[in-house]
Amino acid sequence: MKQPMTSLQRVFSALSLQEPDRVPLFLLLTMHGARELGMSIQEYFSKAENVVEGQLRLRAKYHSDCIYTFFYASLEAEAWGTETIFFDDGPPNAGMPMITDVASIERLERPRVGETACLQKVLEATRSLKARIGDEAPLLGVVMSPFSLPVMQMGFERYMDLIHEEPDVLERLLGLNEEFCVEWANAQLAAGATALCYYDPVSSPTILPPELYRRFGLPLARRTIARFNGPSAIHLASGRCLPIVEDVASTNTLAIGVSAEEDLKTIKGACAGKLAVVGNLNAIEMRRWTPMQAEAEVKRAIAAAGPGGGFILSDNHGEIPWQVPDEVLLAISEAVRTWGNYPISLKVPSDAD
Amino acid sequence: MLAGSMMNQVGEGRIVRFETALLAMDTAGIKLMLTEFSGLSLSLAEALIVPALERIGRGWEEGRYALSQVYMSGRQCEALMNSIQPDIAVEQVSGPRMAIAALEDYHLLGMRLVSSVLRASGFPLLDYGRMDVDSLADRVADAGVDILLISVLMLRSALRVRDLRRKLGASGHRVALAVGGAPFRLDKELWREVGADGTSDTAAGAVALVKRLAEEREN
């Protein structure tokens, strides 16, 4: 049994590819804070103070090893002028894309973080959470990668057409997004975020062939991440990563998020000595797990990727769905504290088990 | 039914070459291959285009290809089919009436993919775009749709299929629901739970699915 660590020490140890006292848990809850406070999701995200209180209550309840300062995925698109649509039982969604014709990209100007109310709200929450949590636990901020943001800015199909047919206009849009991403990332770090999650689903081989990623997404990630004033992890948000693990490592990011559709042990092997591994509980199935299933899934993941360290237990997507019940979340939390202590003695169950 | 001569004319080798040309977005190569046949027709589509799209869809399911390749291939094939029968989407004389919609999501890619593949495979269908549950149920009943294809990205939207099924049932309109999208791929039980009649992990798989639902409707 190792000396107990704080969440911050535990996470840094894992990100340094070491074995901490136990496997860290990133229970990436956003909307559940609204449930804790008994308010609608829209009301919850309307004020920084709600998110601060929600995150603190969630940490007290589930003992996650990070505070998640992420509000919702459409926030950055909102900063660029896309409407955010709120629901009572799911994450806010980006409305109609703001770029309706490719020609308008020539005239497009990026938003400034200091002048954008929705971003300022996140920074206010980050500062307040940092003041409350200190060095006890890391604050995990989020940026959309400049390469993936266009899906919300202009819609997937138009973006795919742009990538394949108009590389000059694409470069102009990615350049604007890069400058925005760097400013937004560094503002969060300055406000107290410990590290940033660089969400980049379009770079996943699930979405784009590796050769196109290497032509556009990878050089952009290398440039952008090099300009962050703090550490980062790359998350492909449910997309597969195995064919591009070496590329992701070359961005100097510290960790990678793993899809539920990939074998965690294989990914851990591919990342050995290069990247910490974050994942890969199936957040969609989680909704109908029993507490016993939740424990079994946690054990499976820890057995696959825990030994040797460099592993953070989390979901596959980066956001736990609203429908996942408390009892499952509590079971996950308890299971990691029961089975995740180093040295790990669990074995990966075989199909016969 | 596919004419045997067309089957023989195409062959596995040509399908693989066509698949390769689609993935490479080799427009000239695609056109050249089609000139090897006596002319564009729906049976050529069934013999060449559909199997190639199915192979690409399988490749995506197995992690060999990317979604962008499925999309670009479908788009190229849809353009080809439009050149064969530009009015195919509206001129339906027989068979089940089909429609497609994205349920409460603004992410329309999945719907476009399935729509492209079905049109490229010679299936006419009404394109409803993004719809909410109430409007979609009313529209489906008014139009007398027999098979409704629903695409979603978010879990919340997938769960709304249950409400759609309930509303359609209350209206007394009998319609088969075919669902698809990331939540259904990640949770293999979800389509049953929400009361759908079938699902497909890939756009190309939607062809077999609607054929099955059409047969079940006739029986």
Side-chain angles (χ1 to χ4, degrees), chain A residues 118-180:
Chain A
C118 63
L119 304 179
Q120 286 300 313
K121 208 160 40 183
V122 175
L123 295 179
E124 186 187 338
T126 306
R127 279 189 292 269
S128 185
L129 281 162
K130 180 64 182 172
R132 301 277 291 273
I133 207 79
D135 289 333
E136 173 64 28
L139 267 60
L140 183 62
V142 165
V143 293
M144 289 296 147
S145 99
F147 192 52
S148 291
L149 186 60
V151 171
M152 287 189 283
Q153 291 174 309
M154 62 191 305
F156 189 99
E157 302 149 81
R158 202 174 278 123
Y159 184 39
M160 287 300 113
D161 295 344
L162 191 69
I163 287 175
H164 287 90
E165 293 162 5
E166 300 194 59
D168 292 344
V169 185
L170 173 70
E171 290 294 351
R172 153 101 180 135
L173 181 60
L174 297 184
L176 288 170
N177 286 354
E178 178 183 343
E179 292 308 311
F180 170 73

Side-chain angles (χ1 to χ4, degrees), chain B residues 6 20 26 30 42 53 58-59 67-68 79 81 86 89-90 100 112 122 128 142 164 166 189 191-192 209 211:
Chain B
M6 182 59 75
T20 306
D26 177 7
I30 290 167
L42 280 177
L53 289 176
R58 257 197 320 276
L67 195 60
S68 67
M81 287 306 292
V90 290
I100 189 165
R112 297 276 179 247
Y128 287 165
D142 290 347
L164 177 68
R166 202 175 297 128
E189 299 300 317
W191 67 275
R192 280 196 185 87
L209 177 58
K211 281 181 180 171

